[in-house]
Amino acid sequence: MTLLLFLLLAAPSLAKSGLSSHIVPLAYDLMVKLPIREFNGFTASMVLHFNLTALTDNITLHSVDLHSFRNISIISGEFAEPQLKSIRILRQTVEFKFATALLPGQYLLTIGEYNGRINNGSFGVIHRNNSIYTTHFQPNHARRLMPCIDHPSVKSTFRISVLHRTNTVAQSNTIANDVQVEDQEWQKTTFAATPQLPAYLISFSILPDTNLQLSRQTSFGVTVRVNGRVRGTVLRVLDCALAAFELLATIVDVPLPLNKLDFILLPNYDGGMENWGHVVLSESLAELGDDAHLIYIVAHEIAHHWVGNKATIDSWQFICLQEDLADWLAMKTVKTLLTDDEMYSRFKLSQYVEIQLAEDFLSPNHSLLMPEEIDQEMISTHCYLKGVVMLETLENVVGEAYMLSVVKNIVSLHTSYNLQTFLGHFDEIRVDRNATLAQIFEYWFTQGGFPSVLVENNGPSSRLQQMTKPLWPLRMTSTLSLPEFVFSESIVFASESAPLLVNLNFTSFMRINYDPLTWTSIFRYMLDEPQLFSPVGRAQLISDFCYFNAHKQIVNGSLIRNAVVDMVYAKPEYFELCDWNLYWCHSTTDVSLFSKLVRRLALGFTVIFESSAAFGCRNGMAVRGVNTFCETLFGVKCV
C-alpha cells in the first residue's frame, strides 16, 4: 500500500491535531547546530519536499518549543513562488500561511533558520553529563527538533547534518558521508539518507571524542558499534548485541536495508530506544544489570528494527501490539542465549511480578488498545506485560513456526500495519463452531481487566467457574483433560483420580482461586517439595492465594495465610521476591500509597529487578529500595 494511501487513511486523526492532512512528506533535509550555550538550545534549518493533494493556503506541521522562524520560502517547479503572509505558532503546531492558495503538486518548503530547546529530561533533544547530547522522540517528540508530520503512519526519507564542536563526534541513523571542519570551534558531519521512516525513529548523538567505540561485523555484513566510557561495559554490550542480532536475523529471516547498528550507552537514562540504526541504551543497565536483562533489552531494541522500524504501526492505538511482538522475539533470544538456568528463572519471575504490580496498582482494568494520543508513561505501564503472555498463549495454540511466519509476513509485505493486519493471519483458525482464534485474540487485546477463575474440587467432581464479568474466552492448561478453550461461566468435570489444577506456571493471563482444602494441599506439598515447583509457579500460587484471601474470597483463609507466610519465611531461598508476592497477605500499606509509588517507578519496572541482588526474600535490594522510598515519602513501608 502506498504512502499516499496510508496518509489518506490517517487523515481524520491528523486533522484532529490541526495538521494539514493534504500534505504527503517525501523527504526532509535537516541541519542542526548544537549546543548553543547562549540559550541552552540549538539552531536548525530544514527543507521539506512534499506532495500537496488539495488546494490550500497554509502548511501546518507539528512543532513544539520551536521558535524564531526565519527565511521561509516555498517553491514549485510549475508555479510562481507564493508569498508568505504569516507564521502562527500554536501549542503543538506551526502554521505557515501564504497570500495565495497553493495548487496540488510537489513543493519544497525551506525554513532558513529556527531555534529549539535542549533539556535534561528523557525526551526531545537531551543533554547528559560529560558533554553527551542525544535524542529520544518516541512517541511524539520529533516535533521538538523540527516542524514535521509526527505520526507513525507517515514515513519519509531523512537527510541529516549535524554541526558540532570540534572536540566531539556525531553519529546518526546512517553512516557519515562527510565530515568537514568549519572553523576552530565547529565541524559538520553529514549522514547518508535514511530509508523511509516515521519521524519518531530518527536520531543523532554528539559524543566526546574521548569516548570509546568498539565494533564487529555480523555474518550478514552489518557492523555493530558500541559507544561508551568503560571498555569492559562496551565489550559486554557488543558481545550481547552481536549474538542477539545474529539470532534474530535468523529467526525473522527478512533482510534489513541497514549497514551499521550503533549502541549509545547513555548515563541517567532508563531502558532503551530503538531508533533506526542508532539505539540509545541505559549505561547503568549495561554496567550493573544481570545478563538476562541486558540480553532482553538489547534484543528488544534490535527486534524493533523489523517489528516497528521496517514495518510500523499505523496508529499509536496499536503500540502495545508492536512492543509486545518485539518483546516476544526478545524473550526467545534470552531463552536461547542465556546459559544460566537460575538467572533465566529469575528473569521470568521478575516478568511475572511486573504483571501483577501493573494489574493491581499501576494500570488495573486496562485494555491494550490505546488512545490515539499517548505518552511514554502510558506505553511503559500498559505494554510489555500481559500482552506478551497473550502472544505466548497464542503461540502455544498455533506453534512457534506459524507465529514466526506471521511476523515474517508482516515485516516483509507491509511498511505499516495494525491489529487487523495481525488478526488476519488467524481468521481461518477455528477453536469451535462459533469462534476463531482472531476473535479470541481481539477480545484479549481490547478487553480490560484480569480474568479470575474459581476451581472447586469436591470428591468425584471438580467445578470451574469464571468470577469476572464479562466472561472471557480462556485458554486452559490443566492437570485434567479440559477443553482447550472455555467460554462458559461454569463447567463441571469428573476428577476421581486427582484434583483439578489450572494454569500452572501462568501459561495464560488469568488468576486462579481454589477451595480451601485444595489450597491447603497445594501449600503442604509446596512446603515438603518446593523444588518441584518453578519459581514462577511458586510465586503465582502464593500471589493468587494472597489476592483472593485479601478480597475475602476464601473461607477461613486466615489459617492458610499464616501457614503460607511461615512456609515462605522458613525457606526464603525458594521464594525470591517474596515480599512482592506476599503483598496481599500481610501489607498494612494503603493501596493508594502503593499506587503512588508504582507510578513514580512507571518508566520501567525492569530497573527494579535488573540485578540479581534485587531478588532476595525480605532483604533484596528491590524491596529495601522501595521501602526506603516509601518511608521517606509516606512515613510507612510499602512492602
Side-chain angles (χ1 to χ4, degrees), residues 240-291:
C240 177
L242 196 70
F245 204 175
E246 292 276 3
L247 179 62
L248 285 165
T250 301
I251 290 174
V252 182
D253 194 28
V254 176
L256 296 173
L258 187 73
N259 51 19
K260 66 90 183 172
L261 177 58
D262 288 324
F263 283 82
I264 310 298
L265 305 186
L266 193 62
N268 306 314
Y269 182 79
D270 290 327
M273 178 59 206
E274 69 271 13
N275 313 302
W276 176 264
H278 190 81
V279 173
V280 179
L281 187 68
S282 164
E283 181 183 70
S284 173
L285 189 150
E287 290 178 350
L288 305 174
D290 64 29
D291 289 348

Side-chain angles (χ1 to χ4, degrees), residues 33-37 162-168 179-189:
K33 179 180 180 179
L34 76 160
I36 306 301
R37 297 192 174 110
V162 179
L163 200 59
H164 53 102
R165 305 284 177 174
T166 53
N167 61 345
T168 62
V179 179
Q180 294 182 348
V181 176
E182 301 285 303
D183 54 39
Q184 290 184 340
E185 188 176 3
W186 296 96
Q187 61 184 335
K188 182 170 74 171
T189 302

Side-chain angles (χ1 to χ4, degrees), residues 461-528:
S461 65
S462 296
R463 186 171 71 95
L464 183 151
Q465 179 178 345
Q466 290 200 49
M467 298 189 293
T468 45
K469 297 291 191 306
L471 300 179
W472 281 55
L474 297 177
R475 201 266 174 166
M476 288 294 175
T477 56
S478 67
T479 54
L480 299 178
S481 179
L482 291 182
E484 188 173 34
F485 283 90
V486 170
F487 300 90
S488 60
E489 180 176 4
S490 180
I491 307 176
V492 177
F493 299 90
S495 58
E496 296 180 358
S497 58
L500 173 64
L501 302 179
V502 172
N503 200 40
L504 296 177
N505 297 315
F506 202 61
T507 55
S508 293
F509 178 69
M510 67 183 89
R511 287 189 176 104
I512 305 297
N513 191 11
Y514 294 99
D515 62 87
L517 287 177
T518 302
W519 277 125
T520 300
S521 299
I522 288 171
F523 292 125
R524 184 181 297 120
Y525 188 43
M526 189 180 295
L527 176 65
D528 293 337

